[in-house]
Amino acid sequence: TPTKSLDILAYILILIYFLLIATYSHRYYPVGQYMNVEHDFYNWYAPDTKKILNGNIFDIEFYDIKGIGYHFVLALFTLLTDDIFKAGKIISPVFSGISLFLIYKIFSHLFNPLTGILIILGTMANNFFIISSYTVGTDMFFLSLILGAINSLYLSKRTKIYWLSISGFLSGYA
């Protein structure tokens, strides 16, 4: 069906974007280059994540207006990579891909799959989105949580309690 074909096209485009951004982030972008959000990573998120990994969850100091959700995800990725800075470089591309997937889902449900594809193509071309996709920071992580909450609210029209609960959890975690 045409809808299925457009879904596959969207997933392929998202995968290509993810692979390009992940490659750039891993091979060509050194952490700590020019971006103020990386200052936050070095001074707040990395040291607090080390505290979590050492079992000192209650010693976290810097969770300002965002909560500690990013700290825990960074800790999880650090356990997988054994390197907190490598983990930080992986998180943004992964969650930019998740964000694109959710953007596609939201707009293809609200309008149609072609509109969803056009929206993700526009998003992929947005300079701020591109920079946030490879920079070590929290933008893509929190964007995906908010988009997940919005998508869950849309899905709650079908099965209310489950998706409303998911939306509430994602909003609270953000």
Side-chain angles (χ1 to χ4, degrees), residues 18-138:
F18 166 76
L19 292 173
L20 289 172
I21 290 295
T23 300
Y24 178 77
S25 175
H26 179 70
R27 300 187 101 197
Y28 304 107
Y29 185 77
V31 177
Q33 187 178 14
Y34 310 120
M35 299 300 291
N36 287 336
V37 294
E38 290 181 346
H39 173 272
D40 296 349
F41 180 83
Y42 284 121
N43 291 308
W44 297 356
Y45 301 116
D48 279 348
T49 298
K50 287 180 183 177
K51 291 176 185 175
I52 290 171
L53 292 170
N54 291 325
N56 302 321
I57 295 173
F58 299 108
D59 291 339
I60 296 173
E61 299 175 45
F62 299 105
Y63 52 87
D64 55 8
I65 59 170
K66 296 179 182 169
I68 58 174
Y70 181 79
H71 298 78
F72 285 106
V73 170
L74 182 58
L76 175 68
F77 277 75
T78 300
L79 289 173
L80 297 172
T81 63
D82 226 19
D83 182 333
I84 198 164
F85 298 108
K86 203 179 282 186
K89 287 178 77 168
I90 292 170
I91 289 173
S92 291
V94 166
F95 284 95
S96 70
I98 292 170
S99 294
L100 288 169
F101 172 77
L102 291 168
I103 289 168
Y104 174 72
K105 285 306 216 183
I106 291 166
F107 283 96
S108 66
H109 286 302
L110 289 175
F111 300 103
N112 58 55
L114 181 58
T115 301
I117 287 175
L118 294 174
I119 297 293
I120 64 168
L121 287 172
T123 303
M124 289 175 187
N126 180 285
N127 190 47
F128 183 77
F129 189 85
I130 294 169
I131 291 170
S132 297
S133 293
Y134 64 79
T135 305
V136 177
T138 61

